[in-house]
Amino acid sequence: MLRVKQVSKKIALCLVLLAFASVNGQDAVRTADSVSDAATADSLDTSTVSQKTDLPTETQPIHQLKTIAKIQRKKTIVGASVGDLDNDNKNEIMLLTRQSVEVARFENKTLKTITEFKAPSGVAFVSIDVADINGNGAYELFISAVNATFEIYQSMVLEYNNGKFTVLKKRCGYQFRVVNEVDGSRTLLGQKYSSSGVQKGDIFVMGLDGNELVEKSKIEIDDKAVHTFTNLINRSDSSSVYAVSANDGLVEIIDKQSGSKVAESAEKFGGSPFAIKLPSHSLSNPAMSPLPIRNVSCDLNNDGVDELVCAKNHDSFFNIMASTKLYKQTHFEVLSFDKNEGLVGSVWKSGVYGGFIIDIAAGDIDNDGKNNVVLIKPEHVGSNMFKKAKTEIVVFQ
């Protein structure tokens, strides 16, 4: 009788997990609600870093991030980007939901909305980057997107000029990522759709010729999702390397010329709260390809060398079911790459938060000349009769 009860409990658990994994028009994989009583203190903690990746003490940044604002929005925000969109020498933040782009300014520790763009019908936004790639003086918004059922790419390119949005290109079969360069310019990367998964498509350096996207050169790096790409810049010798996430969650440092790995982290990061459905997807075969959390880089302590900021969502059920990802706790870390030693090490770790991180942005959001880290942390995904959608935006300096 005891054995029967144990089996019954396991079946009940699986049914609960399947209920969370149901696909809807907003997220291909549902996520757990946040844990309200989880610790939220900021903290410096490098004790858990493997000895394999510890950096010499003198190379560690002394900068410690502190929370300067927590902002609540009654909607599910899935992405963010910081930049001077209107060319007034003051940065704005672009906040992305599945159905809209909001341009806002950080004032008095809150966000003031400037304007908004609504997504076309049947399109679900995924991530956003901002840069003037065609060099005409007006910024483009590169919005990675999928169709409403998360099956194919439906990305868009907008241009913002004189307070208005213009659609330059829609229904793009790429996921986009913009990375910084040593000379202050920005480079657009694009990864083609692949029916084998988000990390399998070819990656290109892209250009924008009028309204047309151009594949300028192929990046010979395989089995990586362009979503996780960022540049780590060392301004003392004008060098840079790619930092990307591998499929196993380790962060890899990759030489841009050879495409070879030169270092990797000892700890795993990421943890995707949603995924793209593959063509083989069915009720009996829920084939999904997780779209990874983006990594960001910037110089946080003004020493001329970029740090890497990575999220780490904690899987609630230890991967019992491959197609279901539930998260109840999360944190993020600042990593540093020592090119002389070939080591990647964690130099700062946040406290633990309830819920999950869906995106991180970096830039001078408060316009004081110093870079900020902006955490996007949904607390309730979607709205229903019991709970309303809500997202916490946490600003660090």
Side-chain angles (χ1 to χ4, degrees), residues 31-332:
T31 54
D33 293 329
S34 63
V35 177
S36 59
D37 60 351
T40 59
D42 305 322
S43 63
L44 177 64
D45 181 1
T46 58
S47 60
T48 60
V49 181
S50 166
Q51 198 170 37
K52 168 185 173 183
T53 59
D54 276 345
L55 296 177
T57 303
E58 62 269 22
T59 68
Q60 293 184 3
I62 58 174
H63 187 92
Q64 297 184 26
L65 297 179
K66 300 293 182 183
T67 301
I68 63 172
K70 291 184 179 180
I71 303 163
Q72 299 283 344
R73 284 297 176 93
K74 293 181 179 180
K75 54 186 175 181
T76 301
I77 299 171
V78 298
S81 183
V82 177
D84 181 11
L85 192 63
D86 55 6
N87 286 309
D88 65 349
N89 296 316
K90 292 182 179 180
N91 285 331
E92 290 76 43
I93 184 167
M94 281 54 71
L95 300 173
L96 198 72
T97 72
R98 292 281 182 250
Q99 292 81 34
S100 67
V101 178
E102 175 192 348
V103 181
R105 179 159 289 164
F106 184 71
E107 296 178 353
N108 299 319
K109 297 189 176 181
T110 189
L111 290 172
K112 179 182 177 181
T113 301
I114 298 173
T115 188
E116 193 171 18
F117 174 86
K118 297 292 186 180
S121 177
V123 174
F125 290 160
V126 171
S127 68
I128 183 170
D129 277 313
V130 178
D132 180 15
I133 296 299
N134 60 13
N136 68 348
Y139 280 85
E140 296 89 46
L141 290 80
F142 296 92
I143 304 174
S144 296
V146 296
N147 64 343
T149 51
F150 281 66
E151 295 171 301
I152 59 173
Y153 296 168
Q154 293 277 284
S155 300
M156 299 183 65
V157 182
L158 308 179
E159 187 170 77
Y160 186 79
N161 199 3
N162 295 322
K164 296 182 180 180
F165 290 104
T166 302
V167 178
L168 297 186
K169 190 74 175 176
K170 56 184 178 180
R171 293 189 289 274
C172 305
Y174 299 89
Q175 292 288 300
F176 296 127
R177 188 68 169 123
V178 172
V179 296
N180 298 323
E181 300 293 350
V182 175
D183 62 2
S185 65
R186 311 199 75 191
T187 298
L188 174 65
L189 307 181
Q191 185 168 28
K192 280 187 170 180
Y193 172 81
S194 170
S195 60
S196 299
V198 299
Q199 77 279 15
K200 297 298 184 181
D202 291 336
I203 301 175
F204 297 89
V205 174
M206 308 288 291
L208 191 62
D209 185 6
N211 294 1
E212 294 299 318
L213 289 166
V214 179
E215 296 175 356
K216 297 173 67 174
S217 60
K218 184 179 178 182
I219 296 177
E220 298 296 338
I221 298 175
D222 298 324
D223 209 30
K224 300 290 188 298
V226 76
H227 237 220
T228 71
F229 273 60
T230 190
N231 263 356
L232 290 180
I233 297 172
N234 188 325
R235 294 164 187 82
S236 64
D237 59 8
S238 298
S239 65
S240 66
V241 291
Y242 285 132
V244 304
S245 293
N247 295 331
D248 59 5
L250 296 178
V251 175
E252 296 183 354
I253 306 301
I254 298 179
D255 181 82
K256 296 172 71 172
Q257 282 68 46
S258 67
S260 59
K261 180 174 67 176
V262 297
E264 68 178 18
S265 64
E267 301 294 328
K268 295 181 179 181
F269 296 90
S272 179
F274 63 95
I276 303 299
K277 290 194 293 185
L278 299 180
S280 56
H281 181 88
S282 65
L283 289 176
S284 60
N285 177 34
M288 302 279 196
S289 181
L291 193 60
I293 300 295
R294 302 196 300 175
N295 302 314
V296 298
S297 58
C298 64
D299 184 3
L300 289 173
N301 62 339
N302 295 317
D303 66 349
V305 180
D306 281 355
E307 285 78 42
L308 181 67
V309 185
C310 300
K312 187 168 186 176
N313 292 325
H314 304 245
D315 195 328
S316 300
F317 288 90
F318 305 102
N319 294 320
I320 290 176
M321 299 179 66
S323 63
T324 305
K325 296 297 180 183
L326 304 175
Y327 302 102
K328 67 176 183 179
Q329 289 187 333
T330 186
H331 76 275
F332 73 97

Side-chain angles (χ1 to χ4, degrees), residues 308-364:
L308 181 67
V309 185
C310 300
K312 187 168 186 176
N313 292 325
H314 304 245
D315 195 328
S316 300
F317 288 90
F318 305 102
N319 294 320
I320 290 176
M321 299 179 66
S323 63
T324 305
K325 296 297 180 183
L326 304 175
Y327 302 102
K328 67 176 183 179
Q329 289 187 333
T330 186
H331 76 275
F332 73 97
E333 297 187 31
V334 178
L335 309 182
S336 182
F337 170 56
D338 184 339
K339 61 182 296 184
N340 295 321
E341 299 292 334
L343 298 175
V344 180
S346 176
V347 295
W348 187 87
K349 180 188 293 187
S350 76
V352 176
Y353 295 87
F356 63 93
I357 295 168
I358 200 166
D359 198 22
I360 298 177
D364 183 10

Side-chain angles (χ1 to χ4, degrees), residues 15-26:
L15 289 174
V16 171
L17 293 175
L18 285 171
F20 274 100
S22 61
V23 176
N24 58 39
Q26 182 165 7

